[in-house]
Each structure stands twice: as structure tokens, then as C-alpha cells.
Amino acid sequence: MTEHVPVVIIGGGIGGLTLGALLRRLDIPFVILERAPVVTPQGAGISLAPNCLRVLEQLGLLQVIQANSQELLGIRVYREKDCWGTINFGLSKRWFGYNVHSIERHEFHRYLYEAAGGAETVRFGWNVVNIVDDENARAPVRVVSDDGRTIYADVVAGADGIRSATRRILAGSSGLKAENTIRFTGRVHMSGYTQPLEHLTSDDLGMGHWMLYNDSILTTWPCKENRQWFIGVKRAELAPGETPDRSVWKGATAETVNAVGAFYDLILWSAIEDATVLADSIADFLEGDASALKSYSRLRERRAQDVASFSARYAQVHTAKLPLGMGKMVRSLIYQWVPSSAWMWYLGWLYGHQPVSKRLAQIQRAHGRSKKVN
């Protein structure tokens, strides 16, 4: 059996579900095709920053997020056993309208799943193996699963992560080679989510920790009930004969991903931003604006490059790997002497960029006016 749906979203992760939640409120029919057979909790925690909280508020999710998360009020920075000081992240609400909120990742994923329509729109067990442009068919694009199921769409959005089948298929159809890999960086990661830490008090609520050691870094983010979501990174030596550019994801399974737990907030924030802008672009495209998706691509590519550059620069500071041997001195100066207000000023380009769906905002304003009239 085949069917036609205006929008097909491949991938039921955070980006795909956010896009689905927005399309649902814009009354644009869609389905989400997820490779996994069932919903399974993966990962540890996630920190939701102001640049994605505004659209989550637009989707009506902010209240439940606030009720089940912990605001980030401060980060204590340590060098070995010495505490260098505390960065006051409670200023974020004054500067950007929201504080950073830390929450269990699977809990946040569930909120998005429900906002996107849940079982009505998300289809599990869809392992996409082909995406075909076919202008002579009932719709421009045909999506095919490994068991032969087919669905037609006007727009297909790939939101299936680092091991993207969408990217691999489209690159292959264009004569390009696409390898979905993460190169070995010489570091190993661990991540987890603690039970409530009984030795902590109410004074510790909302406090995260950055612990800087010579060969490793441990960062923790505060969650409810004095739980801590932590990420550790340690330098690892290559085994004899091991190539430094091997992929750590070759042959990975869902269990592998869950065990590694290396989920990066910047990527997830960008996925939410992407979905927000893409929802309006899809609406414009379906109404006949042929340039809408190209405009989206240009706009988001610039933002993605800025985020990637920031991440690389910040990693150099955090690990004291700056040119001319200046890393340790610069890191010490920044973490011990730079005031918290300067941190907020510097993060303005990241946290202050808070995209929302303009189309949904129009609908909500009109609905608000209608309620006042009634």
C-alpha cells in the first residue's frame, strides 16, 4: 500500500519531533518515520538554553519543562582540587528571558513526542533505504523502506542524526560518497545521571561543576533533587597499529549509543533552531514559494558555522590548548577573573538568538484576539 503525505520527516529524535510539533500546530499533515521499533530511553541529561526555550514556550512546553527540570544558577570551576570561583548563570534570565534548564533527556523526548502527535504521527520500524525524486508520480518524492513499504511526499526532511540514512542516500544519488562517521579524537567519553546526592544541601541546588585535570575533564549539570548529569572526557592513547582516523561508530547499535552517552547540547539546540525555521520554510514552499527551502539552507548554514566555530574555540580554552603555550594562563584568567556579566555579554550571540515560528505566532495572535472578542 502507498499513500501521499505532504511532509515526511525521517528520524524521531529531538529535531524531527520539534519539526513535527510545529507542523501539527500549523495544520500541515506529516508523518515521522523512525527506524527504532519502539521508544527507548537513551542518553542521560540535556540542558535547554534560552535560544531553544522560546520556541518550546511557543509550543506550550515551557511549563512542564520548568516543573520537571532544574534551573542552572551557577557553575563552580575547579582546577585539580582548587575552586577557582563560580560563574553566576542565574543572570541568564535577566539577560535573555530564560535560565538554562537541565532535564533528563528521555523525559524531554517524551514531551516532544506527545506534542508531535505521538502514535498518530510517529511510525516505528521504518528503516528508509531509498528516497527517489519522481516528478511524474503523484508527488515529487518517494520514500521506500527496507521491507518495501512506500510513501509519497511533497517534502522530505532528514532529521536522522549523525548516522543519517537520508544524507547517505541523497549523496549516493548525486554521485557523491557519504560516510556517516565520527572520527577518533584521541579522547574517550562517559556520561551518566546520578541518584539524588544525599551529601548536597539546598545551597547546592542549581549548581554545576567544571573540574579541570591534566589529562581529563569532568563537567556536571544540576538536575532536580540534587541529581547531577555528568560528562567526562579523558585523553586516550592509540593502541599499537591503530589508525587515528578510525570511526568510533562503525557497527554501532542502539546499546552502543546509550552506553557512550556523548550527547552534545550545542548540536541539540541547533536541531531545535533548525526545526523552528524549517517549519515556516516548508509552509511557504507548500504554498508555492519555490525558493523557501534554499533560503532556509543559506540562513541555517551561517548559524551552524558560527556554532561550530564557537565550539572549537571554546574547547581550546577549556582544555588549555591555545597557540604559543598560552592556554593555561588564558584559561586561568578567564575562569578566575572574568565577571559573570562578561560571560552573559559574550553568550549574547548564542543565547540571544531565539527563533520562533512566525506563522504560528500569527495564528496564536489571531486566536488571542478571537478569545478577547468572544
Side-chain angles (χ1 to χ4, degrees), residues 264-283:
Y264 299 97
D265 285 347
L266 285 175
I267 297 174
L268 298 177
W269 299 344
S270 295
I272 294 173
E273 288 185 18
D274 283 341
T276 304
V277 180
L278 182 57
D280 283 354
S281 297
I282 287 175

Side-chain angles (χ1 to χ4, degrees), residues 55-290:
V55 69
L56 294 175
E57 182 176 19
Q58 189 182 30
L59 287 170
L61 296 177
L62 182 61
Q63 187 172 358
V64 69
I65 289 171
Q66 290 174 326
N68 294 279
S69 65
Q70 174 62 55
E71 288 182 290
L72 175 64
L73 302 179
I75 293 178
R76 294 172 181 152
V77 183
Y78 297 83
R79 177 70 176 106
E80 297 289 340
K81 296 182 179 180
D82 297 327
C83 182
W84 275 351
T86 301
I87 304 170
N88 181 7
F89 266 82
L91 294 174
S92 177
K93 191 168 187 177
R94 187 191 312 168
W95 281 68
F96 309 113
Y98 307 90
N99 276 340
V100 176
H101 283 257
S102 295
I103 191 171
E104 289 186 72
R105 190 180 190 276
H106 71 89
E107 186 77 3
F108 176 58
H109 192 273
R110 181 169 65 86
Y111 301 150
L112 287 178
Y113 175 75
E114 294 170 352
E120 295 180 5
T121 57
V122 182
R123 302 182 184 181
F124 294 98
W126 259 82
N127 185 24
V128 175
V129 295
N130 206 1
I131 303 169
V132 183
D133 287 324
D134 190 353
E135 295 181 358
N136 297 320
R138 70 181 80 179
V141 188
R142 178 162 45 97
V143 181
V144 184
S145 72
D146 60 352
D147 58 6
R149 285 175 294 172
T150 299
I151 187 168
Y152 289 89
D154 300 299
V155 176
V156 174
D160 45 351
I162 191 66
R163 295 184 291 153
S164 171
T166 308
R167 184 187 308 112
R168 185 172 60 252
I169 292 167
L170 296 181
S173 65
S174 301
L176 302 173
K177 183 179 180 181
E179 294 183 356
N180 297 316
T181 61
I182 299 176
R183 298 301 181 188
F184 183 57
T185 61
R187 297 184 293 272
V188 292
H189 300 77
M190 67 173 182
S191 179
Y193 191 83
T194 72
Q195 295 288 341
L197 301 180
E198 296 179 356
H199 66 282
L200 299 181
T201 69
S202 58
D203 293 335
D204 297 294
L205 285 171
M207 299 303 299
H209 307 82
W210 291 349
M211 289 161 274
L212 311 173
Y213 302 97
N214 288 331
D215 64 347
S216 59
I217 293 174
L218 180 67
T219 61
T220 79
W221 304 90
C223 297
K224 288 193 68 176
E225 302 171 336
N226 269 329
R227 298 172 182 263
Q228 293 280 318
W229 161 45
F230 61 88
I231 300 175
V233 183
K234 181 175 175 59
R235 187 167 59 237
E237 300 298 331
L238 290 172
E242 188 175 21
T243 174
D245 62 353
R246 69 176 175 87
S247 168
V248 299
W249 291 95
K250 186 176 181 180
T253 64
E255 289 73 24
T256 308
V257 176
N258 200 32
V260 173
F263 296 100
Y264 299 97
D265 285 347
L266 285 175
I267 297 174
L268 298 177
W269 299 344
S270 295
I272 294 173
E273 288 185 18
D274 283 341
T276 304
V277 180
L278 182 57
D280 283 354
S281 297
I282 287 175
D284 293 340
F285 179 82
L286 292 176
E287 291 182 358
D289 183 355

